[in-house]
Amino acid sequence: MNKRSTFNFFKHILLALLSGILVGLTVGIYQKGLQYVFSFSSIMFSNKNWYLIVVNLIIFITLSFVNNILILKFKSIDGSSIPLVEKVIERKEDKEKLKLIDVPLTIINSYISTYSLFTLGSEGPSISIGARIGKSVNKLFKENDDLVNIGLSSGAGFGCAFLSPLSGIVYSYEEGLHKFSFKSLIFGVLISFSSFFTCFLINNIHLISVSSISFISINQVLVIFIIALLTLLISYYFKKFMLFIRMKFNKYSSNLFIKFRSFIFFILFFILGYFIFNLLGNGKNIITFLSDDYYLSSIKNEYTFIFNNIYFLIGILVLRGLLLAILGNGKVSGGIVIPLMCIGGIIAKISILLFNNNINNNLLLISNENEEILILFGMILFFSLINNAPFTSLTLFIETLFISSSFKIENITIIFSSFSFYLMIIVILIMNLINRYLLNSKNIYEEFIKVDSIKFN
């Protein structure tokens, strides 16, 4: 290796470390801030005093105008910005559109969505924040054409959102760069792990986890196939519906109701927030409630029945699906990954109830203790089918289990000795193969780009 090659190698190491630290710092602060924003929103909606309702209404009106102004003036922060990131990496869009000024604006608008209880998540903005920081570091190091660093930095944003560095690396290649390179792997590891450790120092709350490592027995594995088939069916039609909504929004974009639909969102969620607060937001509340093992004492009686009733769950599934299909198509800022996982968790819970209701042998019933991992399986599977991301999903699934195990030998032994653990992995891969090659389903963001390219008269 000559002097120039050695210099460039160490230069890229420094570039990777700086990118990772800045991504971790920014996403960590952003994620930490979200907790305070949601807590403040919870306080405002839980208090039914008329004067606080008026104050909350004034806040909503103000936020609706701020959101509209930001979206109109800075179009690149509309939605999650991930389609823009993908187009930049594929050289279909000018990389200069990934502006550093959009980072604080994305954070502000995501906070607005969080306070307003929109069914959107933080992982999309985290990915776009990572990509923008990667592009800015490129500029600092005069590596303006280094699209690989942008892709790796976007993956680091994903990894920071879930505090899952390995899934961040896999996301970089599967969803960002769309190809693997050993040459760039060392830089991907540096970016992902430096961002993870930096983010963890600021925010150590995992978006998804399980409270206990407990798998079903071989005699109960039928429920895995029920979850898989229902998830495959619903994910296929949900994606079709979401793309249909997007096409209609684009076709009638000049219509006043479509153009300024965000104001309707604010009105709707202000009203819903006072009636079904815990069913709104990114879906973390629902994911928590789906397991019977853990309820907040103040709302236990209210939600125990709802989350053990198939008909109520179907209603929540339809509501969340409809809201996500509409909100996920722009005019507000936020990601769709956690909301998608929430839908997958609901499907898994419905499948468990269907299984239990049709089993006569009490020994085969799925216990509350076993539900959590099955719900996690449904969450991961639905996300993987919508995003065509089997390897990112599998990595996130396995990493979540290991993190939830606290790396205790007895828990790790349970994971590796469980037949259903391996079956879930195989089923995720098979369902993704069916989804991609038999149903011809593509990544949702690729589909977004395709729909956006259609010209309407």
Side-chain angles (χ1 to χ4, degrees):
M1 186 181 289
N2 57 41
K3 288 184 178 180
R4 184 173 181 83
S5 297
T6 303
F7 172 78
N8 284 332
F9 178 74
F10 283 104
K11 177 184 176 182
H12 278 86
I13 285 181
L14 183 59
L15 182 149
L17 287 172
L18 183 60
S19 296
I21 291 170
L22 289 176
V23 170
L25 179 66
T26 308
V27 174
I29 293 171
Y30 161 58
Q31 294 279 350
K32 192 72 174 178
L34 281 170
Q35 297 168 27
Y36 293 108
V37 171
F38 184 73
S39 295
F40 181 50
S41 179
S42 301
I43 293 169
M44 293 302 293
F45 277 102
S46 63
N47 199 313
K48 302 299 194 297
N49 290 331
W50 70 267
Y51 57 89
L52 282 179
I53 293 176
V54 172
V55 170
N56 200 21
L57 177 60
I58 293 171
I59 292 173
F60 259 72
I61 293 171
T62 304
L63 293 181
S64 68
F65 280 99
V66 173
N67 170 81
N68 191 61
I69 291 169
L70 289 176
I71 294 293
L72 286 177
K73 291 183 71 67
F74 304 94
K75 296 187 188 307
S76 60
I77 71 169
D78 194 357
S80 67
S81 302
I82 294 179
L84 172 62
V85 173
E86 291 211 358
K87 285 194 283 187
V88 167
I89 294 173
E90 294 174 4
R91 298 182 186 276
K92 295 177 181 178
E93 198 71 74
D94 186 2
K95 59 183 174 296
E96 294 305 318
K97 287 193 174 182
L98 294 176
K99 299 175 183 178
L100 190 60
I101 185 61
D102 287 344
V103 170
L105 297 177
T106 297
I107 292 173
I108 290 169
N109 228 35
S110 178
Y111 284 169
I112 290 174
S113 294
T114 299
Y115 181 86
S116 305
L117 305 179
F118 293 159
T119 53
L120 296 170
S122 61
E123 68 298 319
S126 297
I127 293 166
S128 68
I129 286 169
R132 287 177 167 90
I133 289 175
K135 182 260 180 184
S136 299
V137 174
N138 282 353
K139 194 171 184 179
L140 179 66
F141 279 77
K142 301 187 186 306
E143 294 286 341
N144 290 328
D145 203 40
D146 189 359
L147 297 178
V148 171
N149 187 54
I150 295 176
L152 295 175
S153 296
S154 69
F158 180 89
C160 286
F162 288 96
L163 290 181
S164 173
L166 293 179
S167 66
I169 295 171
V170 177
Y171 180 93
S172 299
Y173 293 105
E174 186 172 45
E175 294 285 279
L177 299 168
H178 297 293
K179 60 181 178 181
F180 178 75
S181 165
F182 281 106
K183 183 179 178 181
S184 64
L185 182 58
I186 186 171
F187 304 118
V189 170
L190 287 172
I191 291 174
S192 191
F193 277 90
S194 61
S195 65
F196 164 74
F197 287 118
T198 306
C199 184
F200 190 81
L201 291 173
I202 302 167
N203 171 52
N204 59 5
I205 304 298
H206 290 269
L207 282 179
I208 55 174
S209 63
V210 293
S211 60
S212 63
I213 304 298
S214 179
F215 290 88
I216 58 174
S217 66
I218 294 177
N219 296 330
Q220 299 169 310
V221 295
L222 176 61
V223 73
I224 292 176
F225 295 101
I226 296 173
I227 293 171
L229 291 174
L230 268 181
T231 303
L232 179 66
L233 180 67
I234 294 173
S235 67
Y236 178 78
Y237 285 105
F238 174 77
K239 187 183 289 187
K240 293 284 186 185
F241 179 65
M242 197 166 189
L243 294 172
F244 171 79
I245 294 292
R246 193 176 191 88
M247 187 174 294
K248 292 300 179 182
F249 281 166
N250 290 350
K251 184 175 182 180
Y252 301 104
S253 59
S254 59
N255 181 283
L256 286 178
F257 288 103
I258 301 297
K259 188 175 182 179
F260 297 104
R261 63 184 181 272
S262 63
F263 291 104
I264 300 174
F265 300 158
F266 281 94
I267 295 170
L268 176 63
F269 277 82
F270 175 78
I271 296 170
L272 291 177
Y274 284 101
F275 294 96
I276 53 170
F277 177 89
N278 286 297
L279 302 183
L280 303 177
N282 63 6
K284 277 196 68 179
N285 272 349
I286 292 178
I287 292 169
T288 301
F289 300 148
L290 287 172
S291 171
D292 289 337
D293 291 333
Y294 177 54
Y295 286 102
L296 299 177
S297 58
S298 62
I299 54 178
K300 179 175 181 179
N301 294 332
E302 181 182 354
Y303 285 94
T304 300
F305 173 74
I306 290 177
F307 286 96
N308 282 286
N309 184 292
I310 290 177
Y311 299 107
F312 274 106
L313 282 173
I314 291 173
I316 296 169
L317 178 67
V318 172
L319 174 67
R320 296 280 312 188
L322 179 62
L323 292 175
L324 181 58
I326 295 172
L327 291 171
N329 277 306
K331 297 302 180 184
V332 289
S333 298
I336 63 172
V337 176
I338 285 293
L340 287 174
M341 289 183 176
C342 175
I343 291 175
I346 296 170
I347 295 170
K349 181 70 174 186
I350 291 172
S351 303
I352 293 168
L353 292 176
L354 286 172
F355 179 84
N356 280 347
N357 290 345
N358 288 278
I359 292 294
N360 295 322
N361 188 343
N362 288 334
L363 295 176
L364 294 181
L365 292 176
I366 306 296
S367 66
N368 296 341
E369 188 180 30
N370 296 142
E371 284 189 2
E372 275 193 287
I373 290 179
L374 289 172
I375 289 167
L376 175 65
F377 166 68
M379 291 163 56
I380 294 295
L381 180 58
F382 194 79
F383 159 65
S384 71
L385 294 175
I386 296 294
N387 281 55
N388 272 24
F391 299 109
T392 301
S393 302
L394 280 176
T395 308
L396 185 58
F397 178 62
I398 296 169
E399 205 166 2
T400 299
L401 289 176
F402 272 78
I403 291 170
S404 299
S405 74
S406 302
F407 299 100
K408 293 180 179 178
I409 297 298
E410 59 268 28
N411 288 333
I412 293 174
T413 302
I414 292 172
I415 293 172
F416 280 117
S417 63
S418 173
F419 172 79
S420 61
F421 167 68
Y422 298 102
L423 181 61
M424 287 177 190
I425 291 174
I426 293 169
V427 167
I428 288 173
L429 290 173
I430 291 174
M431 289 297 107
N432 273 274
L433 287 173
I434 293 173
N435 188 54
R436 177 172 294 185
Y437 296 108
L438 292 185
L439 301 181
N440 197 30
S441 183
K442 296 181 175 60
N443 177 297
I444 188 67
Y445 299 113
E446 292 179 23
E447 297 280 16
F448 280 172
I449 293 170
K450 185 178 178 181
V451 169
D452 291 344
S453 67
I454 299 174
K455 304 294 182 183
F456 296 100
N457 294 328

